Amino acid sequence: MAGSDKNIWVIANWKANKNIQEALDWVAKVGPQIPKQNNLKVVVCPTFSVLSEVKKAIQVGNFPMLTGAQDLSPFGVGAYTGEEPAAILKQFVDLAILGHSERRQNFGETDEMVSQKVAQALANNITPLVCVQGKDTPVPDGVKLIAYEPIFAIGTSNPDTPQNASMVAKNFPGKEVLYGGSVTSTNVKAFVQQENVHGVLVGGASLEADEFLRIVKACEEI
Ligand code: PEP
């Protein structure tokens, strides 16, 4: 049981990886080993096309895991070809990662679009997890969960220091702030031990079931 009462989020961002079979193999391996602990929130964020299968597998296994999307549409339902509206996604997800730096860099996502997406998420009871790249990234009203993800640390094996992550987190009082960027089972504990850090958003290291489980177990002991 964790020594602290703070919520600890461990969120797997699979990015554009894993087909249905690979996703189900991961859930079958990880799901039964997630500790049932109220303050430990484990979330998996697959691609849109495998979300429903992942959700079903988690429900059938009764695993203590939530599901998230990696994005959602800034618009509602209607004539928006190719979009995934929150009003439909809410069947499958509890949370949505919004404003990830890969979306800002590769898809021209702006702060304005992020705030439209947040509004859609909130209107549909999906928890928005807004990624900030530093203390100056705007956070739309109503957001309670933030991931501090410095660009230099994403996918580089060059994480920020836990101390700096904690200092950045202090700029968002009243929010739960996670750290993301080259988190592994070796460094995760140093981040979540920081008073202001409420968990981690994990990209590359979440893809391998055993490594992800080591990350979760390290958080269980906080
Ligand atoms: C991410 O993409 O959100 C991320 C933190 O990636 P990685 O863990 O691979 O640095």
Side-chain angles (χ1 to χ4, degrees):
M1 176 67 195
S4 137
D5 288 341
K6 73 173 178 180
N7 280 337
I8 297 190
W9 296 81
V10 185
I11 303 187
N13 175 13
W14 285 352
K15 312 192 186 196
N17 291 289
K18 292 199 189 293
N19 62 28
I20 290 176
Q21 194 53 57
E22 291 163 342
L24 294 181
D25 289 347
W26 186 100
V27 171
K29 201 160 185 184
V30 170
Q33 298 206 54
I34 305 270
K36 290 197 166 72
Q37 186 177 299
N38 280 343
N39 67 330
L40 185 62
K41 318 272 183 201
V42 178
V43 187
V44 59
C45 303
T47 59
F48 291 133
S49 51
V50 307
L51 252 174
S52 67
E53 291 292 327
V54 165
K55 173 83 179 173
K56 219 184 298 167
I58 290 171
Q59 283 176 331
V60 168
N62 195 24
F63 301 137
M65 292 174 81
L66 302 171
T67 48
Q70 300 169 19
D71 187 27
L72 51 72
S73 176
F75 304 109
V77 293
Y80 302 104
T81 301
E83 286 298 289
E84 287 282 348
I88 293 175
L89 272 174
K90 72 178 176 190
Q91 300 175 100
F92 310 115
V93 301
D94 308 287
L95 171 153
I97 300 171
L98 299 176
H100 192 284
S101 59
E102 288 162 6
R103 295 215 54 83
R104 296 179 192 260
Q105 281 168 350
N106 300 321
F107 304 98
E109 192 155 300
T110 61
D111 292 333
E112 172 61 28
M113 287 159 77
V114 174
S115 99
Q116 286 176 270
K117 291 177 181 198
V118 165
Q120 289 293 330
L122 291 172
N124 288 284
N125 291 322
I126 295 173
T127 300
L129 166 61
V130 170
C131 298
V132 303
Q133 289 70 49
K135 67 179 176 50
D136 297 326
T137 308
V139 175
D141 288 348
V143 171
K144 296 189 179 128
L145 196 58
I146 290 176
Y148 162 54
E149 294 212 316
I151 290 171
F152 67 79
I154 296 189
T156 58
S157 305
N158 178 30
D160 202 345
T161 63
Q163 293 72 20
N164 196 52
S166 175
M167 269 172 43
V168 173
K170 275 193 190 153
N171 290 283
F172 301 98
K175 321 274 185 209
E176 290 187 310
V177 182
L178 323 187
Y179 168 74
S182 297
V183 169
T184 65
S185 59
T186 314
N187 62 25
V188 63
K189 213 164 180 166
F191 286 102
V192 292
Q193 277 174 338
Q194 299 290 325
E195 196 186 331
N196 307 309
V197 176
H198 288 79
V200 284
L201 179 53
V202 188
S206 74
L207 292 174
E208 215 258 302
D210 288 330
E211 171 64 356
F212 185 70
L213 275 169
R214 283 193 287 272
I215 291 173
V216 171
K217 299 260 165 82
C219 292
E220 184 194 7
E221 292 154 18
I222 297 303

